[in-house]
Every structure is written in structure tokens, then in C-alpha cells.
């Protein structure tokens, strides 16, 4: 019998403890024990294994109940510092910061001086630096394929939880659901400050229509239904790379004749879960990228692209499952009309409340960029644009467009720098796809050519990438892309 590695043993213990805590079987103070396990492992395991555990843990990191008024300090902050400290202690000579990221950091620091709330600005800079530490380590790790494969276990977990969450809507009314997931799991996972905001000030957990029907917007282990589908999109390329790497891509016919690993089923399940988040921006961007992918498959006669484009048919087919799910009574409420049709129609209904509000916020953001073109209103100070209290940033006050968010907070030079970085990521994906010969690499970078533009398109309607779990995953994926094929001796 194969011996279980320490990494898998610690990860299994983490998963068990995590669910026992968030579902209330164990009291919250056990989170300190879980944090202790993760920190100890990060100190004494190899740097690569410690980083892999971190990557696996992104959706599972839990807040520490330090005091009754300060219980949202998340474990990832401590573990990231430990891993980075180990790396920099022995490898400080290797450290180089991407010029574009350095410019963004410099502008962010300068914006503190003009921010209305300087404390919020300073905390935001610290937040983003903390989020980026493990990505720096990932960039220098030699075995990027191992990092990529380990994007898959947490994807499996969040999909299982997401569909379990959907199942609970058929056994609970909406008050019981909010009690179980809102005041229960979310409080234990993210702390009382967050769950008060989510339950009392607003959340994105439900889709409403004019017929009085309420449907779940699947959010799984994430704070909202916007972050969840982004995480799925960023993890799906790893599924393709691992599950289909044995296929022969000499031609599309030869590739289709070989059976991929069963894990390839995570792709349509991931698409379905992303759709069930009821995030219209994800739907719209997905339809657009599907069209572009099929055009590319026709023009660019490369078997891998055609193979991946065929899988986007599965994305379109998954919408067929939305109707019966939407038309089934959830939360014990009448389901006389399916929400899918009304949700699709509402995308282009500019008078619809959500759309009208977004347009008003976009206009305010553009006006603010014109008024404050150099340094914006200050990092972490976006509510100033809408003449709101800075505290509302924690409640999701944003530009509902990541590009406008960056421009409004940090100014036009920062926006141009961020756009240059996003282009750098895409160009690296394209170049590595063109130059790769191994099926694993072709599938990973080929799938990223689909999912990263998909996410870029979605971010025109949301700024949820700045949520900690989405940003941790994005920074890990970016570090993997930029550092792929680079070798460095680290200790």
C-alpha cells in the first residue's frame, strides 16, 4: 500500500478541521489549532510543499477569533508571511520585482498622501502586498507543473460544497438558509464583521424576479457569487492539462479517439456551477469567448484549440440544466416562472435596477478619473467617489468594473500600467502556447487563452478580483504563467 505523504496528511487534516469548524461541530477557537498546523508545516516542510499546501488551501483559509471585536484576521496572512520569510532568508539575491507591478506599488503608496482616509489606504497597500508574497515564491519554484496540478483538489472541494449548497435550498426556507450559511458557516469562516455586513447590509446570494421567485446564486465557500465563478475559471486550465495530457494532438480526430482521465468531467461541472452563480457578466463574457474560440478554431488549424473549443459546447449545453433547477421551488417558495429567461433578458435591460445602478456608478467613476487623473482618490478610498462612508468598502462599494476601479482610486497612469500588466499576462500565455510541444503545456496555456480573456471581459462588470481568495488565486496563476520554464536554484 502506498504511503500517504505528509503533505496529503496535513491537507486531509486541514479539510476535516475546516468543515467541522464552519459547520459548528467544533468551536471557532479550534481555528487556532488549524492555523498552528499550517504554520508548523510551512516552517519545516520543503518550500515547494509548503507553497503547494498554501495553493490548495486558498478557499479553505479561515479567520481567527482573536477577540470578540477582532475576529476576521485570516490564517492566510500569517502563512504567507512564513513562506515568504523562508524564501527571502535564503534567496534574497534572486528577488526581482516586475517593473509594472513596482510602478503600481509606487503609485499606490503615493496615493496614500492624497487619500481622504489614509488609514484605509495604508491598510489596503499592506493587504495587496501580503496577498502577493506567495506568488513571488511560486514564480521562482522550478516545478511549475506540480503547482498547476494542485489547483485541482480545492476546485473539487468548492464544487462539491457548491452543489451541496444548492441541495440545501430544497430543504430549508430562506430564513433557515441564511441562518445556516450566513450567520453560521460564513461567520465561522470569515468572522462576525463580514457576516454582519453580508446578512444585514446586503449580499449576492439570491436572484429575485418579478414573480416573487427566489433562486440561489451559488457561492460555495466564497464571500459572494462573483468570486466563486472566477475561481472556477482560473482552475479549469489545470483540469485540462492533467486530465487530457495523454491525448495525441497530431489531429483533432486522434485526440478524440483517446479517452481522457475521468477528472475531465470537472470541466462541465465547473461550467454549470459558474452558470448557477447567476452572474450575468460571467454568462455574457462566456458567450463572447465561445464565439471567439470557434472563430479561432476555424482560422487557426491547431488540434488543441479545436479540442478546447469543442468543450465550450459543454458550457452552452449546461444552460439547459438551469431551467429545471430554476423552475423547481427553492426555499419552499412558488416557482411558476423560470429565472433563466428573465435573467438573460435583464442583461440588456438598462432600466433594470442593477444595470441602472451600475451605469450610474460607472459615470461617477469616469467623472472622478477626470477630476483626479494622476493619483485618483487614493487606494482603498473608492466610496469617496460615490460620496459614501469609507467603511462601505467592506460592504462591497465598488465601481463594478475593475478598470474603472483602478482608474478612480489610483488615477489614469495606474490604469494604463494595470492594462499593460494584463496584456503581459495574455502575451505570455500566447507565446508559451505557441512554443510548447508537450500536451500538458499546450492544454494548460491553450485553456488559459480562453479563461483569462473570459475573466478580463467579466471584470468589465465587476471588481471582485480584489477579494482575497480571487486575488490569491489570480496571483498564483500569474506567477505560474510568468515563471513557467524559468529555472532558479532556491533553497
Amino acid at each position: 500500500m502506498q504511503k500517504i505523504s505528509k503533505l496529503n496528511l496535513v491537507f486531509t487534516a486541514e479539510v476535516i478541521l475546516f468543515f467541522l469548524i464552519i459547520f459548528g461541530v467544533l468551536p471557532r477557537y479550534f481555528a487556532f489549532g488549524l492555523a498552528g498546523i499550517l504554520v508548523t508545516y510551512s516552517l519545516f516542510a520543503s518550500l515547494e510543499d509548503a507553497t503547494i499546501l498554501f495553493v490548495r488551501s486558498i478557499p479553505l483559509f479561515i479567520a481567527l477569533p482573536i477577540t470578540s471585536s477582532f475576529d476576521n484576521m485570516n490564517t492566510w496572512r500569517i502563512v504567507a508571511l512564513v513562506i515568504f520569510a523562508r524564501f527571502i532568508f535564503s534567496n534574497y539575491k534572486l528577488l526581482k520585482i516586475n517593473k509594472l507591478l513596482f510602478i503600481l506599488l509606487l503609485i499606490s503608496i503615493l496615493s496614500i498622501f492624497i487619500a481622504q482616509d489614509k488609514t484605509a489606504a495604508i491598510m489596503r497597500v499592506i493587504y495587496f502586498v501580503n496577498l502577493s508574497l506567495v506568488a513571488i515564491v511560486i514564480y521562482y519554484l522550478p516545478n511549475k507543473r506540480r503547482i498547476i496540478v494542485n489547483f485541482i483538489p480545492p476546485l473539487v472541494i468548492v464544487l462539491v460544497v457548491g452543489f451541496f449548497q444548492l441541495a440545501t435550498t430544497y430543504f430549508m426556507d430562506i430564513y433557515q438558509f441564511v441562518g445556516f450559511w450566513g450567520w453560521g458557516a460564513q461567520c465561522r469562516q470569515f468572522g462576525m464583521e463580514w457576516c454582519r455586513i453580508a446578512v444585514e447590509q446586503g449580499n449576492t446570494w439570491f436572484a429575485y424576479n418579478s414573480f416573487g421567485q427566489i433562486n440561489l446564486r451559488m457561492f460555495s465557500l466564497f464571500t459572494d457569487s462573483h468570486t466563486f465563478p472566477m475561481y472556477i475559471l482560473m482552475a479549469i486550465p489545470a483540469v485540462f492539462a492533467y486530465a487530457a495530457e495523454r491525448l495525441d494532438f497530431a489531429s483533432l480526430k486522434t485526440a478524440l479517439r483517446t479517452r481522457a482521465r475521468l477528472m475531465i468531467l470537472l470541466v462541465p461541472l465547473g461550467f454549470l456551477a459558474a452558470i448557477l452563480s447567476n452572474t450575468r457578466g460571467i454568462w455574457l463574457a462566456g458567450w463572447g469567448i465561445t464565439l471567439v474560440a470557434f472563430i479561432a478554431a476555424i482560422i487557426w488549424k491547431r488540434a488543441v484549440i479545436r479540442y478546447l473549443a469543442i468543450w465550450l459546447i459543454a458550457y452552452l449545453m449546461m444552460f439547459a440544466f438551469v431551467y429545471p433547477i430554476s423552475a423547481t421551488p427553492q426555499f419552499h417558495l412558488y416557482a411558476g416562472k423560470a429565472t433563466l429567461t428573465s435573467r438573460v433578458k435583464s442583461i440588456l435591460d438598462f432600466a433594470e435596477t442593477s444595470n441602472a445602478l451600475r451605469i450610474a456608478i460607472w459615470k461617477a467613476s469616469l467623472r472622478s478619473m477626470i477630476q483626479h487623473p494622476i493619483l485618483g482618490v487614493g487606494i482603498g478610498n473608492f466610496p469617496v467617489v460615490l460620496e459614501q462612508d469609507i467603511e462601505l468598502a467592506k460592504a462591497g462599494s465598488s465601481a463594478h468594473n475593475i478598470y474603472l476601479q483602478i482608474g478612480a482610486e489610483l488615477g489614469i497612469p495606474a490604469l494604463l500600467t494595470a492594462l499593460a500588466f494584463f496584456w503581459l499576462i495574455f502575451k505570455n500565455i500566447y507565446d508559451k502556447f505557441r512554443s510548447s510541444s508537450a500536451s500538458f503545456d499546450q492544454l494548460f496555456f491553450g485553456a488559459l487563452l480562453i479563461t483569462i480573456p473570459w475573466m478580463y471581459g467579466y471584470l468589465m462588470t465587476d471588481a471582485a478580483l480584489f477579494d482575497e481568495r480571487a486575488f490569491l488565486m489570480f496571483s498564483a496563476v500569474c506567477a505560474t504563467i510568468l515563471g513557467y520554464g524559468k529555472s532558479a536554484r532556491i533553497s
Side-chain angles (χ1 to χ4, degrees):
M1 187 173 69
Q2 189 175 7
K3 186 179 179 181
I4 300 175
S5 68
K6 290 181 180 178
L7 172 62
N8 289 332
L9 192 63
V10 171
F11 182 65
T12 301
E14 178 189 13
V15 171
I16 293 170
L17 282 172
F18 172 80
F19 283 108
L20 290 177
I21 293 168
I22 71 164
F23 289 140
V25 178
L26 292 176
R28 279 196 68 195
Y29 60 76
F30 271 78
F32 289 106
L34 177 53
I37 292 172
L38 297 178
V39 169
T40 302
Y41 185 82
S42 299
L43 280 170
F44 296 105
S46 69
L47 193 59
E48 183 176 286
D49 281 357
T51 305
I52 285 171
L53 181 63
F54 186 94
V55 166
R56 286 188 185 182
S57 304
I58 288 173
L60 304 175
F61 285 123
I62 196 166
L64 299 173
I66 297 173
T67 67
S68 59
S69 59
F70 180 50
D71 69 340
N72 61 343
M73 174 72 173
N74 204 286
T75 308
W76 68 261
R77 291 177 174 270
I78 303 169
V79 179
L81 286 170
V82 170
I83 292 173
F84 183 74
R86 283 190 60 193
F87 167 78
I88 205 67
F89 181 76
S90 303
N91 306 281
Y92 62 91
K93 292 182 179 179
L94 292 174
L95 186 61
K96 294 179 182 179
I97 300 177
N98 179 277
K99 292 179 181 178
L100 295 172
L101 295 180
F102 179 77
I103 292 170
L104 281 175
L105 176 60
L106 180 61
I107 294 173
S108 298
I109 293 171
L110 291 174
S111 78
I112 295 172
F113 295 98
I114 56 91
Q116 180 176 307
D117 188 327
K118 291 179 172 53
T119 301
I122 292 169
M123 295 303 294
R124 199 66 171 166
V125 170
I126 294 171
Y127 169 76
F128 281 120
V129 170
N130 201 170
L131 281 169
S132 305
L133 294 179
V134 174
I136 295 172
V137 180
I138 290 173
Y139 177 85
Y140 288 103
L141 288 175
N143 192 351
K144 298 295 190 302
R145 286 193 182 186
R146 193 167 174 228
I147 297 290
I148 292 167
V149 169
N150 280 280
F151 291 147
I152 300 175
L155 174 65
V156 174
I157 291 171
V158 299
L159 289 178
V160 169
V161 173
F163 286 105
F164 168 71
Q165 194 173 65
L166 176 64
T168 63
T169 66
Y170 299 109
F171 299 97
M172 300 176 178
D173 62 35
I174 194 166
Y175 302 104
Q176 292 170 322
F177 182 91
V178 170
F180 181 80
W181 289 101
W183 290 118
Q186 291 263 313
C187 275
R188 300 182 191 107
Q189 190 178 356
F190 303 112
M192 282 298 297
E193 182 181 12
W194 162 251
C195 71
R196 281 200 191 98
I197 291 170
V199 177
E200 296 176 358
Q201 298 187 36
N203 55 65
T204 64
W205 302 338
F206 310 110
Y208 306 87
N209 67 19
S210 57
F211 302 100
Q213 183 178 341
I214 300 176
N215 285 90
L216 172 72
R217 296 184 62 185
M218 192 182 289
F219 56 93
S220 186
L221 295 174
F222 296 82
T223 54
D224 57 48
S225 57
H226 301 137
T227 313
F228 175 49
M230 281 199 297
Y231 183 90
I232 292 172
L233 290 180
M234 289 186 279
I236 277 178
V239 177
F240 277 117
Y242 175 75
E245 66 174 327
R246 297 179 298 184
L247 275 58
D248 183 357
F249 289 101
S251 69
L252 179 61
K253 186 180 291 186
T254 56
L256 294 175
R257 283 177 177 173
T258 310
R259 183 180 297 177
R261 291 187 175 101
L262 193 61
M263 195 168 285
I264 200 73
L265 294 178
L266 288 174
V267 173
L269 285 174
F271 286 152
L272 179 58
I275 293 168
L276 290 174
S277 72
N278 263 290
T279 304
R280 294 170 298 174
I282 287 287
W283 295 0
L284 185 60
W287 298 332
I289 201 65
T290 298
L291 177 61
V292 171
F294 274 100
I295 293 172
I298 293 170
I299 297 173
W300 196 0
K301 297 178 180 180
R302 191 161 175 177
V304 176
I305 289 294
R306 294 184 171 185
Y307 175 82
L308 293 169
I310 287 173
W311 274 99
L312 287 174
I313 297 174
Y315 168 68
L316 300 177
M317 291 175 63
M318 289 301 104
F319 280 94
F321 291 93
V322 178
Y323 179 85
I325 291 173
S326 300
T328 306
Q330 293 182 10
F331 309 112
H332 302 170
L333 295 173
Y334 172 71
K337 299 282 184 178
T339 61
L340 176 61
T341 303
S342 59
R343 288 289 284 178
V344 171
K345 287 181 178 179
S346 70
I347 292 175
L348 297 177
D349 181 3
F350 298 115
E352 190 259 348
T353 304
S354 178
N355 290 341
L357 183 61
R358 269 186 168 83
I359 292 170
I361 292 173
W362 292 346
K363 289 179 178 178
S365 300
L366 285 169
R367 285 195 299 270
S368 181
M369 287 171 62
I370 294 170
Q371 294 167 1
H372 310 279
I374 306 303
L375 291 174
V377 297
I379 188 169
N381 277 244
F382 181 80
V384 171
V385 173
L386 305 179
E387 298 180 349
Q388 297 174 334
D389 191 297
I390 296 293
E391 285 296 312
L392 287 178
K394 297 177 182 177
S397 177
S398 74
H400 293 282
N401 178 310
I402 199 167
Y403 312 106
L404 293 179
Q405 177 99 13
I406 294 170
E409 286 195 3
L410 295 174
I412 295 173
L415 172 59
L416 294 176
T417 305
L419 290 173
F421 180 75
F422 287 153
W423 170 251
L424 176 67
I425 295 299
F426 180 78
K427 186 178 183 301
N428 268 265
I429 294 169
Y430 178 77
D431 290 344
K432 288 180 171 64
F433 174 73
R434 287 290 301 270
S435 62
S436 62
S437 57
S439 293
F440 185 98
D441 297 355
Q442 290 183 50
L443 285 160
F444 181 66
F445 291 106
L448 283 172
L449 282 175
I450 294 171
T451 60
I452 291 298
W454 187 342
M455 198 171 75
Y456 285 175
Y458 166 63
L459 289 172
M460 293 180 72
T461 63
D462 210 293
L465 183 62
F466 291 153
D467 175 86
E468 56 188 34
R469 281 157 178 73
F471 197 94
L472 283 171
M473 185 61 174
F474 181 66
S475 64
V477 171
C478 288
T480 303
I481 293 165
L482 295 175
Y484 204 88
K486 299 182 185 299
S487 58
R489 290 187 177 183
I490 65 172
S491 55

